[in-house]
Amino acid sequence: MPSRRIIPCLDVKDGRIVKGVRFRDHRDAGDIIDQALRYRNEGADELVFYDIGASPEGRSLDLEWVGRIARIIDIPFTVAGGIRNRDSAAACLDAGADKISINSPALERPELIGEIARDFGSQCVVIGIDSMAVEGGHAVKQYTGSPDAARDSGRTTLDWAREAAARGAGEIVLNCMLRDGVRQGYDINHVREVAEAVDIPVIASGGAGALEHFRDVFLLSSASGALAASVFHDRLIAIPDLKEFLAKCGIEMRL
């Protein structure tokens, strides 16, 4: 397996980085450019930026900050938020993003996945899945960037992951909603079952709170990467220390 990736997640609202708990009660977490530079300098493998209000508000993300980030960092970064068609995806990539992530717009019109993959390559297309544990399995939620707009999509997580991969997605970020921001560890069983259901990389998201949580999700599932926010924003875990710890556990990392 290729080196595992450590990916800070930066939720963007009104041009600032914010962080919530279980997708609610967001607090300010700093300037978008300052945070991007900080994580680049600390050795993050990639960055993900979510404009959390774009889809619920029916708008596209702000390309101005995408361009600003592209000019100052030299590691791959993904952007998400309100990318509803091929042209809006093209605009994000032209502004300097390496990948685009789609969630609710793809649930509304799954053909969007194939359209973007056809024109720009599957490697550019990330599917974000906001997965909620329910009786009998996991359900996909949409419009989770706004608590008032969030609702059930009518799809199960495994079925949607398989369909997204079949339509041309190059990667899945699995957001385990009940673990988001609570620092109790990744939902390893769920990450494992989704990763085993598809033949594209799966990034674990939701629950990181200690070095051991990253170790466990890598050793006990085939997750390609681990995404986290609050433990990095609040400086509870330093990325260099995390990578050194994981390497000592026998996990291949880019040091």
Side-chain angles (χ1 to χ4, degrees):
M1 175 175 284
S3 299
R4 309 295 184 97
R5 291 172 284 161
I6 300 300
I7 307 173
C9 172
L10 300 98
D11 289 343
V12 180
K13 185 176 183 181
D14 301 326
R16 299 283 295 178
I17 302 302
V18 298
K19 185 67 190 85
V21 175
R22 291 175 175 166
F23 291 57
R24 294 174 176 269
D25 302 323
H26 291 93
R27 58 180 170 83
D28 189 273
D31 177 76
I32 190 169
I33 299 301
D34 290 346
Q35 292 283 46
L37 282 171
R38 172 194 158 198
Y39 288 129
R40 188 281 309 270
N41 294 339
E42 289 184 359
D45 296 300
E46 299 181 18
L47 298 176
V48 175
F49 296 88
Y50 289 111
D51 186 332
I52 61 172
S55 284
E57 295 168 13
R59 60 172 174 82
S60 297
L61 59 81
D62 183 355
L63 295 177
E64 189 273 337
W65 61 255
V66 177
R68 290 169 62 205
I69 291 166
R71 288 191 291 272
I72 64 165
I73 66 173
D74 54 4
I75 59 174
F77 73 98
T78 301
V79 298
I83 300 171
R84 297 182 174 278
N85 52 51
R86 181 259 181 216
D87 289 345
S88 58
C92 291
L93 296 171
D94 288 344
D98 297 279
K99 306 176 190 178
I100 57 95
S101 179
I102 49 178
N103 187 332
S104 297
L107 288 163
E108 294 171 358
R109 194 171 69 85
E111 294 81 6
L112 177 62
I113 300 170
E115 292 167 3
I116 299 173
R118 177 197 64 216
D119 288 354
F120 306 110
S122 291
Q123 79 283 351
C124 292
V125 186
V126 180
I127 296 299
I129 299 181
D130 295 332
S131 185
M132 176 71 77
V134 296
E135 185 175 355
H138 290 81
V140 180
K141 301 293 183 177
Q142 61 188 125
Y143 300 122
T144 55
S146 170
D148 294 333
R151 61 182 176 84
D152 190 85
S153 71
R155 295 174 178 268
T156 68
T157 300
L158 288 180
D159 286 347
W160 177 231
R162 294 187 183 104
E163 180 177 347
R167 287 183 177 274
E171 188 167 270
I172 288 171
V173 173
L174 180 66
N175 304 309
C176 299
M177 293 181 66
L178 291 181
R179 301 294 181 108
D180 179 71
V182 299
R183 302 176 183 171
Q184 295 176 351
Y186 293 98
D187 187 340
I188 294 173
N189 290 335
H190 191 33
V191 173
R192 183 191 303 118
E193 68 176 355
V194 174
E196 291 175 351
V198 298
D199 59 0
I200 59 175
V202 173
I203 306 300
S205 174
L211 300 175
E212 292 77 12
H213 295 158
F214 292 88
R215 177 199 64 194
D216 293 347
V217 79
F218 286 141
L219 290 180
L220 301 177
S221 81
S222 56
S224 173
L227 184 149
S230 61
V231 292
F232 296 146
H233 296 340
D234 295 340
R235 301 181 186 273
L236 300 178
I237 294 177
I239 291 175
D241 295 342
L242 171 60
K243 286 191 166 187
E244 182 178 0
F245 170 78
L246 294 174
K248 288 180 180 179
C249 294
I251 298 165
E252 187 172 350
M253 307 298 301
R254 298 186 185 99
L255 296 176

